[in-house]
Amino acid sequence: MSTASPWADAVRGVAERAGLDPRRVTVEPTGFDADRPDAARHDTAEYRAEAGHLMIRATDAVAASVALARYVRDHLGTRLTWQQPRITSTTSPSTTSPSPLPDAPRTIVSSPHEVRYYLNVVTFGYSTPFWGWARWEREIDWMALHGITHPLMLVAHEAVLAETFRRAGLPDTEAARWLGGAAHFPWTFMGGMHSFGGPLPARWAERRVDLARRVLVRMRELGMTPVLPAFGGHVPPALAGPAPDGDAPDGDHTAGDHPAGEIEWQGWHIPLLHPESRRFQELFATFAQVQRELLGPGSGHYAVDPYIESVPPSGDVEYLRAAGRGTYRALAAADPEAVWVLQGWPFHYKGAFWTPDRVAAYLRDVPVDRTLVLDLWGEHVPLHQALLADGAPLAGRPWVWCALHNFGGRPALFGDLRGLVRDVQALPDGVPHLRGIGLAPEAIENNEVFYELATDLAWDDAPAPRGARPLAGAVRAGPVRAVGAASGQGVGHRIGHRIEYRIGY
């Protein structure tokens, strides 16, 4: 058992599940490399191998896992991907003792991005709704090996909501009916629909809470900061409550109660509590308490997106200002160190509504350093220049550039690799207050080359931004599984062969 750091054994566990013998892997913590003073601000790791033994030194568990992945890729000839999560055996066929690992010179990797975000709300509908622990364990290993620091974690959110509604007086059967079926939970969570699918198995909530606890423990063992959901105000009609006489959803509400409004998505109508109402504040506090009871303490980062693809109940700037203020007040009351993680997606999807004055009003009373804005579709419709640059409505707020890439789990072979390199490597010279980069696909386990390259780009050994030839070398995938081939496009080969992508220029 390693005593070098509290996370060294967690990294060796990743190595073992990837097919290496952990007896031949040493992991130690370090500060930064004296030869690279810039690394003092960055997640940094180094590896070297000699005499059949791999030695990794790193600032944290995720960086150590990235170094492990780099060694496996560059010296064992395998990228560890969704389709190939393990290398071939390193045990000698004539003995049970582990085969020596190939020598490797001292190699350093470092990332300037303190936040490396991962997942989309609807990934929990398109990809993960029926995963058990074995699949989640493999995905968390994938996250570590690919440098993820801030994964969205929605497992068992429905159980927290159901208990919150029960404590507010809603019968269990009504809460279960409203939440619906597992594959459609994300749209219920976002206020897009309700009562679709189900009923769930009798022990669903119990099993999901147990699973969520295991997921959170493993993420934290590997030094990740899970982004947990918070309460957005979407409720069944029975909890919306009557509006007090003379109270309306428009106008400057600075005190007292407020009526529930309503939002619409694709024909679904969802009651939405006003964030400054007593009902919202009380339910938010109950939700936070239930989440702590069921899942343990929070991580300090919470996702709240009340209007993800819907127009708010009012366009009045004072209403929007009060809504943002009330949401943050409830969040800060539940966790004084809370960072509100919110998507920029509504400002694009409902761009006609979200004029600059409305965007600015929504977060005007929320401390700048208590928000983290996700530029969710950065590779296609980047919003940071319009929203986050100096003089823009959200100027000064920390933000994360994200690639969305996949909608609805579509399996087609696609992805602008050269554009991805160009966009990510231009970020440091662009809008200030960038905190990192991320991946927010609606579904995963597709187009692996795109995601391999995107995660590589968070580190300083990424390909050069200009020219197809460096990029073509950078997307070598090692022995991975691939299916299909399109003439002159992504040529897929069987396991044991390399994948080549033709980069147009």
Side-chain angles (χ1 to χ4, degrees):
M1 183 71 69
S2 170
T3 59
S5 76
W7 46 260
D9 285 313
V11 176
R12 292 170 72 247
V14 173
E16 182 173 17
R17 290 186 293 276
L20 279 77
D21 190 306
R23 293 171 293 179
R24 291 195 173 274
V25 180
T26 299
V27 181
E28 298 178 350
T30 185
F32 63 94
D33 191 289
D35 297 331
R36 303 181 62 193
D38 63 307
R41 303 186 304 272
H42 302 163
D43 292 344
T44 303
E46 66 175 67
Y47 71 80
R48 62 187 174 88
E50 59 184 34
H53 198 94
L54 174 63
M55 290 151 283
I56 298 173
R57 300 178 69 238
T59 54
D60 59 277
V62 170
S65 299
V66 170
L68 171 67
R70 292 295 194 269
Y71 173 77
V72 170
R73 181 192 71 187
D74 294 341
H75 299 279
L76 297 180
T78 302
R79 271 191 183 265
L80 298 171
T81 68
W82 287 311
Q83 294 187 57
Q84 185 166 333
R86 291 176 57 86
I87 63 170
T88 54
S89 175
T90 57
T91 300
S92 171
S94 60
T95 177
T96 57
S97 62
S99 300
L101 295 172
D103 286 356
R106 180 173 181 247
T107 303
I108 303 173
V109 292
S110 179
S111 175
H113 301 290
E114 63 181 270
V115 173
R116 299 182 295 277
Y117 178 83
Y118 183 51
L119 294 176
N120 189 305
V121 175
V122 299
T123 321
F124 290 81
Y126 287 121
S127 296
T128 74
F130 304 109
W131 284 5
W133 169 242
R135 183 61 187 87
W136 266 111
E137 181 177 52
R138 183 152 55 91
E139 191 66 19
I140 297 167
D141 285 351
W142 185 98
M143 294 180 198
L145 293 162
H146 291 78
I148 303 301
T149 60
H150 289 68
L152 184 64
M153 212 303 290
L154 301 185
V155 178
H157 183 44
E158 70 280 4
V160 177
L161 285 173
E163 178 61 14
T164 300
F165 293 159
R166 187 193 68 78
R167 294 187 188 184
L170 192 71
D172 291 347
T173 54
E174 290 188 32
R177 185 182 312 115
W178 177 264
L179 290 168
H184 296 89
F185 280 156
W187 291 268
T188 299
F189 299 163
M190 295 186 295
M193 61 195 305
H194 63 84
S195 309
F196 195 90
L200 296 169
R203 295 184 58 202
W204 175 272
E206 175 189 344
R207 291 171 175 168
R208 297 297 283 181
V209 167
D210 178 69
L211 175 61
R213 289 171 177 167
R214 296 182 73 179
V215 168
L216 288 168
V217 166
R218 180 60 56 79
M219 287 178 172
R220 287 168 175 149
E221 285 177 349
L222 287 165
M224 298 176 192
T225 301
V227 178
L228 294 174
F231 179 64
H234 313 106
V235 294
L239 296 181
D245 291 342
D247 214 359
D250 291 307
D252 182 9
H253 295 299
T254 57
D257 212 348
H258 311 268
E262 183 181 83
I263 58 174
E264 181 273 338
W265 183 81
Q266 305 295 335
W268 297 84
H269 294 265
I270 313 294
L272 180 68
L273 299 177
H274 190 294
E276 288 211 318
S277 69
R278 287 189 296 272
R279 171 75 90 176
F280 178 93
Q281 295 291 320
E282 291 168 358
L283 277 178
F284 197 111
T286 301
F287 173 92
Q289 178 63 29
V290 170
Q291 186 160 265
R292 284 192 295 270
E293 290 174 8
L294 295 183
L295 305 184
S299 63
H301 286 67
Y302 302 90
V304 191
D305 293 290
Y307 319 117
I308 190 66
E309 290 188 351
S310 301
V311 169
S314 171
D316 181 87
V317 293
E318 291 304 325
Y319 172 90
L320 295 170
R321 182 176 183 178
R325 180 173 61 236
T327 299
Y328 177 71
R329 180 170 41 149
L331 189 58
D335 182 348
E337 300 301 315
V339 173
W340 179 359
V341 180
L342 70 158
Q343 300 180 29
W345 181 258
F347 308 136
H348 153 68
Y349 192 81
K350 293 294 183 181
F353 174 87
W354 286 105
T355 56
D357 59 330
R358 287 172 173 166
V359 174
Y362 185 47
L363 294 182
R364 183 166 293 141
D365 296 330
V366 181
V368 167
D369 64 344
R370 294 288 134 193
T371 54
L372 185 65
V373 181
L374 305 179
D375 189 356
L376 207 73
W377 201 9
E379 84 277 25
H380 189 70
V381 184
L383 298 177
H384 50 274
Q385 290 289 349
L387 294 181
L388 293 148
D390 291 340
L394 301 181
R397 295 190 181 274
W399 65 284
V400 175
W401 184 95
C402 295
L404 201 159
H405 182 260
N406 184 278
F407 286 90
R410 295 179 178 90
L413 188 64
F414 66 95
D416 181 359
L417 305 184
R418 193 174 180 193
L420 179 64
V421 175
R422 178 196 63 230
D423 292 348
V424 171
Q425 297 200 338
L427 290 172
D429 300 322
V431 174
H433 309 292
L434 175 72
R435 290 293 181 269
I437 67 174
L439 288 167
E442 291 197 349
I444 58 174
E445 299 179 297
N446 64 83
N447 288 283
E448 289 189 323
V449 169
F450 183 91
Y451 296 95
E452 293 298 310
L453 178 59
T455 51
D456 282 357
L457 287 169
W459 298 81
D460 60 2
D461 60 347
R466 289 184 173 82
R469 299 188 192 285
L471 178 58
V475 299
R476 65 189 186 281
V480 301
R481 295 182 187 270
V483 295
S487 59
Q489 302 302 316
V491 182
H493 297 272
R494 295 170 305 190
I495 188 167
H497 293 258
R498 294 190 180 274
I499 290 180
E500 281 184 313
Y501 270 69
R502 193 179 297 273
I503 313 300
Y505 61 100

